[in-house]
Amino acid sequence: MPGPSKYEYLVTGGAGFIGSHLCELLLSRGKSVLVLDDLSTGNLSNLDGCSHNSSFRLVVGSVLDESLTRGLVHQCRTIIHLAAAVGVENIIRQPVETIETNVKGTEIVLMAAESCGTPVFIASTSEIYGKSENVPFREDGDIVLGATCRSRWSYACCKAIDEFLALAYWKAKGLPVVIGRLFNTVGPRQSGRYGMVLPRFIEQAVSEKPITVFGDGEQTRCFSLVYEIVDAIVSLIENPDAVGKVINIGSTGEISIGSLAEKVREISGSNSEIVLIPYEEAYPDDFEDMRRRAPDVSLLRTLTGKVPEAEIDAIIREILSK
Ligand code: UDP
């Protein structure tokens, strides 16, 4: 049993966009939080709302550092493992780092957790569904990925390995794991630097630059506000019925990227023009996009009693207000 001096949560990747909102939520509920982050895509300013709290501690380091990670895991009661190489552009431009961080990092966290029986939430991704046309995606549906010569798919493959490994730790060793497949999550502090569409559109609109829609703009996504996503993560890891399960975490409000561009322009009062950029100009590496992506959220609703419901207009306004 954990001793009284332990932190309630270890959040790997806690200085990132989602991680920092998660830390704020946990601290607001009176929980103590230890963060491990290498500040590769995360940054210190994301933690401005946490760093002065005496129940908070940041350790700058990598989940690939096995002895460091093990030491921190032993100091906490629950792990939320978010540390990963993220963003489609990042993944294409840094293929080796992506694979190593996303596979070895999770393996190290699971091994450390198993050595002391600590429950772990593993952040997976809707990217796993790949080119499946079985929309809305159910957790037990088939996944359809592209060829290995297209680096994009390495991200989904790595996360699939993480899921297999986490489920294996549950089935073979009894380690309590919960796997959440995060759909497109947006909100204040998200950077457009790694390719994410909404912060990019907002930056472009606010600076009156062209809003760059890739492809024909008919591809769809469901966007969720980060506050609702971190709330779902905490509800799931605190729910014993979620153990050993894979759960979609996202909203069902599907919108095309072209319509998203129009909404951003309208709500921000921008005069930016909306331009269509062919995929081959937007991305290197013979890029393949997903046409539709939307979750089946039945399991999330059953386990947490709610699903993210912020609408896209309100989400855009929230980001613009920060
Ligand atoms: N996208 C776009 N313009 C941009 C960045 C992205 O049209 O400046 C498109 C991208 O091709 C994809 C969608 O927006 O169809 C969502 O991209 P993102 O990288 O945010 O997330 P994904 O859902 O692809 O992981």
Side-chain angles (χ1 to χ4, degrees):
M1 287 298 285
S5 61
K6 290 201 173 196
Y7 285 86
E8 276 150 301
Y9 282 91
L10 170 66
V11 180
T12 72
F17 156 59
I18 298 176
S20 61
H21 284 284
L22 176 70
C23 292
E24 283 179 13
L25 177 71
L26 292 169
L27 292 170
S28 76
R29 293 185 181 170
K31 310 286 186 190
S32 50
V33 180
L34 180 57
V35 161
L36 173 61
D37 199 299
D38 66 359
L39 303 182
S40 55
T41 54
N43 63 71
L44 287 177
S45 65
N46 282 346
L47 294 170
D48 284 349
C50 302
S51 35
H52 299 296
N53 192 312
S54 58
S55 300
F56 178 82
R57 186 175 155 226
L58 165 68
V59 174
V60 177
S62 170
V63 282
L64 297 175
D65 181 337
E66 202 169 331
S67 65
L68 174 67
T69 302
R70 182 176 287 261
L72 299 182
V73 162
H74 280 261
Q75 290 177 51
C76 70
R77 294 196 181 97
T78 302
I79 305 160
I80 299 183
H81 176 49
L82 302 178
V86 292
V88 170
E89 283 203 7
N90 207 18
I91 285 148
I92 292 173
R93 290 182 208 284
Q94 301 202 54
V96 174
E97 289 80 355
T98 303
I99 294 169
E100 289 189 342
T101 306
N102 293 355
V103 177
K104 272 194 211 154
T106 302
E107 186 184 2
I108 288 170
V109 168
L110 286 168
M111 277 184 338
E114 202 260 328
S115 69
C116 45
T118 308
V120 195
F121 176 91
I122 298 286
S124 184
T125 171
S126 57
E127 178 90 4
I128 283 232
Y129 294 103
K131 298 186 280 185
S132 167
E133 291 178 358
N134 232 341
V135 184
F137 299 135
R138 274 175 57 103
E139 294 85 347
D140 56 1
D142 289 345
I143 59 181
V144 183
L145 302 184
T148 50
C149 57
R150 297 188 165 116
S151 319
R152 158 173 214 151
W153 302 113
S154 73
Y155 182 60
C157 275
C158 292
K159 289 289 183 175
I161 291 284
D162 290 351
E163 290 195 9
F164 278 123
L165 194 60
L167 291 171
Y169 268 86
W170 162 240
K171 287 176 194 160
K173 298 170 186 276
L175 179 70
V177 300
V178 176
I179 299 163
R181 288 186 181 157
L182 272 57
F183 283 66
N184 295 66
T185 303
V186 294
R189 299 205 286 262
Q190 185 177 34
S191 166
R193 208 175 320 146
Y194 309 107
M196 281 75 166
V197 67
L198 188 55
R200 279 210 172 171
F201 283 3
I202 289 181
E203 281 162 28
Q204 290 165 340
V206 167
S207 56
E208 302 284 346
K209 293 195 178 120
I211 300 178
T212 55
V213 172
F214 299 161
D216 62 7
E218 295 296 315
Q219 69 272 36
T220 68
R221 297 291 188 271
C222 298
F223 295 91
S224 302
L225 192 53
V226 64
Y227 315 132
E228 295 190 290
I229 295 299
V230 296
D231 182 59
I233 291 174
V234 176
S235 299
L236 289 171
I237 192 64
E238 288 182 347
N239 183 351
D241 292 340
V243 168
K245 295 198 167 73
V246 179
I247 305 124
N248 288 334
I249 307 180
S251 80
T252 52
E254 196 174 350
I255 184 171
S256 75
I257 299 302
S259 307
L260 181 73
E262 278 162 23
K263 276 194 182 287
V264 168
R265 182 171 62 179
E266 181 195 314
I267 295 170
S268 63
S270 167
N271 295 310
S272 292
E273 63 170 327
I274 295 174
V275 292
L276 294 183
I277 313 269
Y279 284 118
E280 51 279 20
E281 276 177 41
Y283 300 102
D285 190 35
D286 211 3
F287 184 77
E288 279 181 314
D289 202 7
M290 286 85 163
R291 294 304 287 171
R292 277 186 80 191
R293 182 191 284 163
D296 180 314
V297 289
S298 320
L299 184 56
L300 180 66
R301 187 179 280 112
T302 303
L303 290 169
T304 67
K306 56 184 174 181
V307 295
E309 55 190 22
E311 290 186 357
I312 194 67
D313 295 43
I315 293 176
I316 295 170
R317 282 198 195 93
E318 171 69 12
I319 300 172
L320 282 167
S321 73
K322 297 288 157 146

